[in-house]
Amino acid sequence: MMTTSATPTTTNASATTPAKKTGLKPKDWISVGVYFVIYVVLSYAVAMLGYIPVLMPLSGVFIGVICQTPVMLMALKVRHLGVFTIFGILTGLLMGPGQIPTMICAVICGILADLIAAAGKFTNRALLITAVAVFNVWSYGKYIPFFFMRDAYLAQIAEGYGQSYVDQVSGLFPMWLAVGMPIMLFVSGALGAWIATKLLAKHFEKAGLI
């Protein structure tokens, strides 16, 4: 009597198992866009203080302290490499072609912030605070012309704001601020990020939203 042995059928698991998706999902892009809009609205409102000449050098510092909650919330909600870079690119584009130093600073700071946050897998709070602080240094690009293209930049400001405004702000940017400004922006961004973590822990983490 002849018998036939059953040969087990093997299947390729990789053919039946869907590949794991990488990159930002559509909902992540939406989240980044929403938080970016909130960040821009807050930043523009705070930046209005710069119309007061004596406060112009501190506008980036005020943004650092006040406007980091949507940035931190974006990082905690999306938790993906690239979110800070996207923030930087969008910020640079918003500044327009007339602000080349700001555009460059925004992209560089976004990339650096991404690398720092990714080193802690977007869960290490100390690295997230550092990443947000680094990202806040993007606004240093707005001040670079004061230090390195001073005469041409002041002439450009005079066309838009008048010579009296230029006369008031021209003495507010001594050369030592070329080094001191990025430090101030980093420290203020770190303070704003720390405040953001406290606010989010109180209102979002307890509710299970992040």
Side-chain angles (χ1 to χ4, degrees):
M1 182 176 179
M2 296 179 64
T3 60
T4 58
S5 59
T7 302
T9 303
T10 60
T11 59
N12 189 346
S14 62
T16 57
T17 303
K20 185 179 179 180
K21 293 183 178 180
T22 59
L24 294 175
K25 299 177 182 179
K27 67 176 183 178
D28 296 329
W29 286 98
I30 294 172
S31 295
V32 172
V34 169
Y35 296 130
F36 178 72
V37 170
I38 296 172
Y39 175 71
V40 168
V41 171
L42 287 175
S43 297
Y44 266 86
V46 173
M48 295 296 288
L49 293 171
Y51 285 102
I52 304 172
V54 71
L55 295 180
M56 186 180 183
L58 298 176
S59 61
V61 173
F62 293 142
I63 290 173
V65 174
I66 298 172
C67 304
Q68 302 312 310
T69 298
V71 182
M72 181 64 76
L73 185 56
M74 174 272 301
L76 289 172
K77 286 284 286 184
V78 180
R79 297 181 189 270
H80 201 290
L81 181 67
V83 291
F84 283 102
T85 302
I86 295 170
F87 248 56
I89 292 172
L90 292 175
T91 300
L93 291 174
L94 192 64
M95 293 297 102
Q99 291 283 344
I100 299 299
T102 309
M103 295 175 70
I104 295 173
C105 281
V107 174
I108 292 175
C109 290
I111 293 172
L112 292 176
D114 254 330
L115 295 176
I116 294 169
K121 299 181 179 179
F122 284 82
T123 58
N124 185 301
R125 292 304 170 90
L127 288 178
L128 276 176
I129 289 174
T130 304
V132 173
V134 168
F135 180 73
N136 189 59
V137 181
W138 72 263
S139 60
Y140 180 58
K142 298 187 299 182
Y143 302 106
I144 286 177
F146 277 104
F147 304 119
F148 306 108
M149 299 172 277
R150 190 178 187 86
D151 293 338
Y153 190 59
L154 290 176
Q156 180 182 345
I157 293 178
E159 294 178 1
Y161 297 93
Q163 187 60 43
S164 61
Y165 181 83
V166 170
D167 292 339
Q168 295 180 69
V169 302
S170 59
L172 299 176
F173 290 89
M175 279 305 298
W176 65 265
L177 270 183
V179 176
M181 183 66 72
I183 297 174
M184 292 165 57
L185 293 172
F186 177 86
V187 172
S188 63
L191 176 59
W194 179 81
I195 294 172
T197 59
K198 297 300 181 182
L199 291 174
L200 295 178
K202 182 177 181 181
H203 299 289
F204 287 83
E205 285 186 359
K206 290 182 179 179
L209 298 177
I210 56 175

